[in-house]
Amino acid sequence: MASTKFTINKGMVNDIIITIKENDNITPIAISATDTFTIELTRLGTNVDVPGLEHAVSVVSAENGRIKITIPKAVADNLDTEIGDKADRYYTKPTYRLYIICSTAVNGNFVAKIPLVYVQE
C-alpha cells in the first residue's frame, strides 16, 4: 500500500527523488548546469531550521527534472517524532515542513513546499 505522507525514517539515510515541474504544467523541466536547488527542513511551531542539510540536494536526471534529497542518518536520528494517543492508535503526527528553494533557467526562482513532514521511528 502506497502512502501519500512525506516521511523521513530514523536509523537510515533517506534518499528522496523529486521531479521538478514547470509552473501550471505537469511537464518536468530540463535542469541546466546553472540551476541550483537547496532545502530547508523547518520544525513546525518553532520555525527552527534543521542543520546539516547544506549539501543535501543533487541532480539525478537533468533531462527529466529529477533531483535527489539526501538526509543523512545522523540528521534523521536527531529529528523529533510525535505520536498520537493510545486511543488513536499512536498515529504519527507531522513535525516538520520542507522547503525546496529552486533557481532555474526554465522556470526562474521559486520555492516548492511540502507543508507536512512526518518522522518515523
Side-chain angles (χ1 to χ4, degrees):
M1 178 182 213
S3 174
T4 56
K5 292 181 179 181
F6 189 93
T7 302
I8 297 170
N9 294 293
K10 288 187 173 189
M12 65 175 61
V13 173
N14 288 260
D15 286 329
I16 302 132
I17 305 293
I18 294 179
T19 302
I20 305 296
K21 298 183 180 179
E22 293 180 34
N23 284 343
D24 302 320
N25 201 330
I26 61 169
T27 306
I29 67 167
I31 297 172
S32 72
T34 59
D35 293 352
T36 61
F37 304 93
T38 57
I39 65 165
E40 292 177 3
L41 185 62
T42 305
R43 178 78 161 94
L44 295 174
T46 64
N47 292 324
V48 174
D49 290 344
V50 173
L53 298 173
E54 294 78 17
H55 305 288
V57 182
S58 59
V59 176
V60 293
S61 178
E63 63 277 1
N64 294 313
R66 292 196 179 128
I67 61 171
K68 177 170 70 171
I69 297 172
T70 300
I71 300 175
K73 179 184 179 305
V75 173
D77 286 349
N78 286 314
L79 296 177
D80 296 326
T81 301
E82 290 186 20
I83 58 170
D85 297 327
K86 180 180 179 182
D88 295 324
R89 298 190 179 130
Y90 301 112
Y91 67 95
T92 304
K93 293 181 178 183
T95 47
Y96 293 91
R97 175 180 301 117
L98 180 69
Y99 298 100
I100 306 169
I101 299 101
C102 309
S103 179
T104 66
V106 173
N107 217 35
N109 297 326
F110 61 97
V111 178
K113 299 173 191 137
I114 299 172
L116 301 175
V117 177
Y118 299 79
V119 179
Q120 186 74 42
E121 291 283 342

